[in-house]
Amino acid sequence: RYARQINTDGNMIKTHRNEMMCGSLHMNVKTGLWNRFSSGEKGNIFDFIALATGSDKKGALDTLASELK
């Protein structure tokens, strides 16, 4: 869901082993690390959610916690 918000140039999410790819956005679901090759942005899962939701890392943590409830 968040991949399409960040990477609007990729329509399909493809998976291969521990990798998810959506256009130029690649994420390793095992480590939680991601890289957006088109812009050079990269980080961990908290950076990813913060970027997708327009929040800071605390907001990202709150978003993830609310989805686990």
Side-chain angles (χ1 to χ4, degrees):
R1 164 169 94 183
Y2 298 109
R4 288 191 181 101
Q5 288 177 277
I6 291 177
N7 199 58
T8 56
D9 61 337
N11 295 328
M12 295 178 35
I13 295 178
K14 300 175 188 174
T15 58
H16 178 68
R17 296 187 185 171
N18 294 326
E19 297 278 325
M20 288 178 56
M21 295 151 278
C22 181
S24 66
L25 177 66
H26 289 212
M27 176 180 275
N28 183 311
V29 294
K30 189 172 183 179
T31 64
L33 298 177
W34 62 276
N35 191 335
R36 184 177 179 191
F37 293 103
S38 64
S39 67
E41 294 170 295
K42 59 185 173 180
N44 60 31
I45 189 66
F46 299 106
D47 298 318
F48 181 78
I49 299 298
L51 183 64
T53 59
S55 66
D56 58 7
K57 284 190 179 184
K58 183 183 180 320
L61 181 59
D62 292 340
T63 298
L64 288 173
S66 70
E67 292 200 20
L68 294 175
K69 290 181 180 180

